[in-house]
Structures are given as C-alpha cells and as structure tokens.
Amino acid sequence: MTKPLDHQNRGISARLLDQPYLMLILAPMFWGGNVVAAKMVVGEIDPFLLLAARCVGATLFILPFAWRFLDADMPVLRRKWLLLMAYGAVGYAIFNGFLYLGLTSTTAVNSSIEQGSLPMLILAANFIIFRVRATILQIIGVLIAITGVALTATHGDLSRILTLDVNVGDGFIILACLTYTSYTLALRFRPKVHIMSFMAVAFSGAAVTALVMLQVFGSGLGAFATIPQASPKVWAVMAYVMVFPSMFSQVFYARGVELVGANRAAPSHNLIPVFGTLGSVIILGERLELYHYIAAAIIVAGIAMAEWAARRIANAKRAGANAPTL
C-alpha cells in the first residue's frame, strides 16, 4: 500500500514509525476519538462547518509534509488527480458528513458500536461485488454482526425494523458505514503513489466537497466568520479532528500495514468501537444500556467467527504452498 521509507529513521518520531503494533493501536484510538470529539460540540457548531474546517485544515496541515512526494509522483497525479480527489470526497468528506450529522441525534456509544460493523460490511461487499471467496462461516459471521448493528440502531427492539422506526441519527451512522465500505472497496484501484501524495490530493478533494456541503446543506461559507468567536472547546475539537484522526491515524495505519501486512493489520479496526465507547462513557458520561452489551457481544461473535474462518483459509493456503512436490 505504501512505499518503504527512503531515508534512515532518526529521533523519537522515527522510532515510533518502527513500532507497528503501537501504531496499530494509536490509529484506531484517534479514529475512535473522532466520534467523542464531534459529540462534545453538538449544538455549538454546525456539523457541516466542523467538517469543512477539518478537511480544509487537514489539507493545509499535510501539504508541507507531502510536497516532495507530490513532486516525485507528479506524472501519475496529472493523469489520476480526479480519481484521487474522489477518494477524499467519499472516504473523508461524505463519510464524516454522515457521521457528524448522525451524532446530532444519536449517542456516541451507538455510533461507536455501529462502526464496529465495518469489517463485516467490507467482507460482505467484497463477496457480493468482486466475488471474493467467502466461506459459509464468514457469511454467517457477517449476518450475526449486522444483527448486532440492527439491535443498536433500534435501541434493543428489532421489531422496529418492520415499521422502519429507526432513529434518524443511527440511520446516518449506517449510511456513513456504507459510504466508507464503498471507499475501502475502491482502494483496490488506487494509483501507485506515495501515501503522502495520496493523502494530500485526497484531502484536497475532501476539502472541496466539504465546502460545497457546507454551502448547500449547512449554514453557508459565511459561517467561517463565526469561528473566531467559538469557545475554547470548539477550537480544541477542531484542532484534534484536523490532525489526529485525519493525518496521524492515516499515516500510522498505512505504516503498520507496510511493516506487518494488511491481513495482520486489519483486525486493528475492531479497536475503533472499543476506544469510541470507552471515550463516550468516560469523557461524555454516556450510559451503557443492556442492549449495548448484547449488541457488542453479537458483533464481536460475528467478527470472531469470520476471522477464524479467514485464518483457516490462510493456513490451508500456506500448507498447500509448503507441501512437498514429487
């Protein structure tokens, strides 16, 4: 997914970039914190303004670090810039737009648990669209995990699905998960450029999209004039979402994949709902209801079943590859 670092590592930050499992813990921790941070300022800032500030700020933050990689990748970027910007529009702007909008009318705990369905949604979409091989156990695992999400979205009463009585905020969170699933599937077509070049151009696409969303669905571009009068809490949240879940999580996860491989890195996504839920309870003081525990257990069971089946397939392939030939 990424190119190897082309310079010798030095200092604390460099040593961090050689610790894959630490980075694969920090990345989902910052992503989980995105939900908590956004929920902290509900009612204090237009969610579309928060989104636009995040995307524009993240783009400006990353450009100085990405400049030399952009120059090296320019021949590819000239041909594929629109595709790269589309990744940012879908995976960063639209995903977080649905997420922030959903948080205005559902809890951060619900949002965190519902995002726990992402690995299963991606597995199911790969099977349906690209015919990626899946075992019966993996398919059952997907169905079990989705049941856990439905239990969360209906606040413990699955019969509400029959009457389409689902909280609108939870509906937006599920749309966010489906959006990120489509982004993840599209990454198989990602042009071969350095991760920093990819992020810089993708963030630019996210910034443009977020500004359009603010103008069309939010309080308009003039809302930026209200930011100087925002509370210190709003400023802190904007700074956090611009830097940590936007840049550090992306870089840490990409570097972790580079060091240990995608298969060993992928389960770290399961930590996002863990950190999101912990933050929601500890920082926001939200309550965990019985259906949260049941839904979380169901989702974990589905993920564990699918992971176990995937490992059996991988082990069988390795055994076949290592079998002696006559």
Side-chain angles (χ1 to χ4, degrees):
M1 183 175 180
T2 61
K3 298 178 181 178
L5 295 180
D6 55 4
H7 62 282
Q8 187 172 354
N9 290 335
R10 294 287 187 273
I12 295 175
S13 62
R15 289 197 295 272
L16 173 62
L17 291 173
D18 286 331
Q19 304 295 321
Y21 294 106
L22 176 58
M23 288 186 292
L24 291 173
I25 291 173
L26 291 176
M29 182 176 74
F30 295 149
W31 276 323
N34 179 45
V35 173
V36 179
K39 187 65 177 178
M40 287 176 64
V41 292
V42 167
E44 292 190 47
I45 184 173
D46 178 347
F48 291 106
L49 178 58
L50 177 61
L51 174 67
R54 171 183 177 170
C55 293
V56 172
T59 303
L60 296 175
F61 184 84
I62 197 175
L63 281 176
F65 300 97
W67 200 256
R68 66 189 182 95
F69 302 107
L70 289 168
D71 184 59
D73 290 326
M74 192 54 66
V76 179
L77 298 178
R78 286 197 183 99
R79 298 194 307 271
K80 302 291 186 178
W81 65 272
L82 190 58
L83 173 61
L84 290 167
M85 291 185 76
Y87 280 118
V90 175
Y92 303 152
I94 297 177
F95 164 71
N96 281 293
F98 281 139
L99 182 66
Y100 293 166
L101 198 57
L103 285 167
T104 62
S105 51
T106 193
T107 65
V109 168
N110 271 30
S111 173
S112 298
I113 293 175
E114 285 156 359
Q115 287 184 77
S117 68
L118 276 171
M120 296 295 93
L121 290 174
I122 292 167
L123 174 65
N126 267 314
F127 173 72
I128 294 169
I129 297 173
F130 296 118
R131 295 294 185 265
V132 175
R133 182 184 174 188
T135 67
I136 294 297
L137 280 178
Q138 285 178 305
I139 295 171
I140 293 173
V142 169
L143 295 175
I144 290 173
I146 290 175
T147 300
V149 173
L151 188 67
T152 305
T154 57
H155 294 205
D157 183 6
L158 288 174
S159 65
R160 293 171 62 182
I161 294 178
L162 299 176
T163 58
L164 299 180
D165 184 18
V166 177
N167 179 281
V168 65
D170 294 295
F172 278 123
I173 302 300
I174 292 172
L175 283 175
C177 292
L178 293 173
T179 299
Y180 199 81
T181 298
S182 66
Y183 162 77
T184 303
L185 265 60
L187 284 175
R188 64 168 54 204
F189 306 113
R190 199 198 97 179
K192 300 296 183 182
V193 295
H194 193 278
I195 184 62
M196 295 300 285
S197 298
F198 172 75
M199 288 173 60
V201 181
F203 280 0
S204 299
V208 172
T209 304
L211 290 172
V212 171
M213 292 171 71
L214 174 61
Q215 180 63 34
V216 175
F217 303 112
S219 48
L221 296 177
F224 274 101
T226 66
I227 291 180
Q229 288 78 46
S231 69
K233 181 170 68 174
V234 170
W235 275 97
V237 165
M238 286 194 298
Y240 175 82
V241 298
M242 284 178 192
V243 177
F244 290 91
S246 296
M247 181 173 177
F248 287 167
S249 285
Q250 299 288 348
V251 172
F252 287 171
Y253 184 73
R255 178 63 173 158
V257 169
E258 181 182 346
L259 292 176
V260 303
N263 287 340
R264 291 166 67 187
S268 67
H269 279 97
N270 300 329
L271 293 174
I272 297 175
V274 174
F275 286 121
T277 300
L278 285 175
S280 302
V281 173
I282 296 171
I283 298 174
L284 301 177
E286 293 186 355
R287 290 181 54 190
L288 285 172
E289 305 292 344
L290 178 60
Y291 74 84
H292 287 131
Y293 292 103
I294 297 173
I298 291 173
I299 292 172
V300 169
I303 290 172
M305 183 178 294
E307 289 285 345
W308 182 71
R311 287 180 184 276
R312 286 187 62 189
I313 294 173
N315 290 336
K317 287 182 178 179
R318 280 196 293 269
N322 295 332
T325 58
L326 297 177

